[in-house]
Structures are given as C-alpha cells and as structure tokens.
C-alpha cells in the first residue's frame, strides 16, 4: 500500500460515517534534521501545506464486511447542499440519506433532495430531509448529502 492509499484508508477509518470528506493535508517536520532555516534561525518545527480541500470518497461497508456495490454505496452528491426550492422539511431521526432519497422518489413534486446530518447547522438534534421542487445551485457543505431525481 503506497502512502496515498494508506492516508485514504486511515482517513476513512477515522470517520466511518462520512462517505465523503474534504481534508487539508499538512506535513509537520520536527527535529534537528530537515529543519528549515528562517532568517538565519533554525525552526525546529515546520508545517508544510501539501493540499487544501482535498476531496476523498470512502467506501460504505455492508453488514458482512464486504464493500458496498451499486447505487446505495454513496450518496449521489456527497458533501453537497442544495439550498432553496424546499417543498417539505422533515426530521428523520436515525435515518441516513437513503431514506431522504426514498421520500423524494415517493413524492411526485420532488425533483431533488438534501439530507442534513444531526447536530449540523440548521438540523437540530435529528437528521433532516429537505425535498425540493428543483435542484438549484450546488454548495459544498460537510453537513449534507444531496441527490437529483432522474
């Protein structure tokens, strides 16, 4: 496993309920070797920003430990919020984005949906599902996953 694969696996393992993550990769150099000379002084601890807002998608394990395959693995638009065009807003405690997608499929006027994680801004203490008459603009937001009806 190379370094990139190891980082990806470790990040996904650290936050198993996040299907998509935007991360900042920072290298922290410490010690006497490899130090950076800054104005003639040796800086014993240096941070090097490698990437900012790097997007990774994590696999969703099934109950038997096999990787998920098909449309139920990842939300169609992970880490995306679709603001506006709301036709209904409901709390769906303990439910994930799949329930929100199904509510949209069951509602004739629904053309898009946004699932908001519990505890995120605007969600309160329970997961929320916002059904939409149109998709509108896509906004990156770790709070949410969204989808557009076929």
């Amino acid at each position: 496993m190379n370094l990139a694969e190891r980082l990806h696996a470790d990040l996904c393992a650290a936050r198993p309920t996040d299907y998509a993550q935007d991360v900042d990769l920072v290298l922290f150099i410490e010690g006497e070797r490899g130090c950076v000379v800054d104005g003639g002084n040796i800086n014993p601890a240096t941070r090097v920003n490698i990437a900012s807002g790097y997007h990774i998608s994590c696999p969703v394990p099934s109950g038997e430990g096999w990787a998920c395959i098909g449309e139920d693995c990842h939300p169609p638009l992970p880490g995306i919020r679709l603001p506006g065009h709301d036709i209904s807003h409901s709390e769906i405690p303990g439910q994930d984005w799949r329930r929100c997608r199904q509510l949209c499929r069951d509602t004739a006027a629904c053309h898009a949906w946004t699932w908001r994680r519990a505890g995120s801004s605007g969600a309160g203490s329970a997961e929320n599902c916002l059904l939409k008459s149109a998709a509108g603009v896509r906004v990156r937001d770790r709070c949410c996953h969204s989808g557009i009806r076929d």
Side-chain angles (χ1 to χ4, degrees):
M1 182 181 289
N2 67 34
L3 179 60
E5 292 168 336
R6 176 74 187 265
L7 284 170
H8 187 269
D10 288 349
L11 288 168
C12 289
R15 298 176 68 179
T17 59
D18 283 348
Y19 308 122
Q21 303 177 36
D22 290 321
V23 297
D24 296 331
L25 299 176
V26 178
L27 177 63
F28 188 70
I29 302 171
E30 189 173 40
E32 304 237 352
R33 294 181 185 225
C35 297
V36 175
V37 177
D38 182 16
N41 298 319
I42 295 178
N43 183 352
T46 301
R47 294 170 52 106
V48 178
N49 291 323
I50 297 171
S52 182
Y54 182 73
H55 185 76
I56 62 170
S57 294
C58 300
V60 180
S62 70
E64 279 92 48
W66 295 92
C68 181
I69 299 171
E71 72 172 9
D72 283 338
C73 292
H74 300 287
L77 300 171
I80 296 292
R81 177 172 51 89
L82 301 173
H85 307 285
D86 295 352
I87 56 175
S88 75
H89 175 196
S90 56
E91 288 189 353
I92 52 171
Q95 300 291 315
D96 69 8
W97 61 268
R98 292 170 188 85
R99 176 69 180 134
C100 192
R101 179 186 62 192
Q102 189 59 49
L103 289 171
C104 183
R105 287 178 175 169
D106 295 343
T107 305
C110 182
H111 295 284
W113 53 269
T114 292
W115 172 84
R116 188 179 292 270
R117 145 180 10 270
S120 63
S121 177
S125 61
E127 291 78 7
N128 283 220
C129 179
L130 294 93
L131 302 184
K132 306 190 172 271
S133 60
V137 298
R138 298 176 185 191
V139 176
R140 276 193 181 268
D141 195 331
R142 294 178 186 184
C143 75
C144 305
H145 300 314
S146 298
I148 301 170
R149 189 171 174 179
D150 296 334

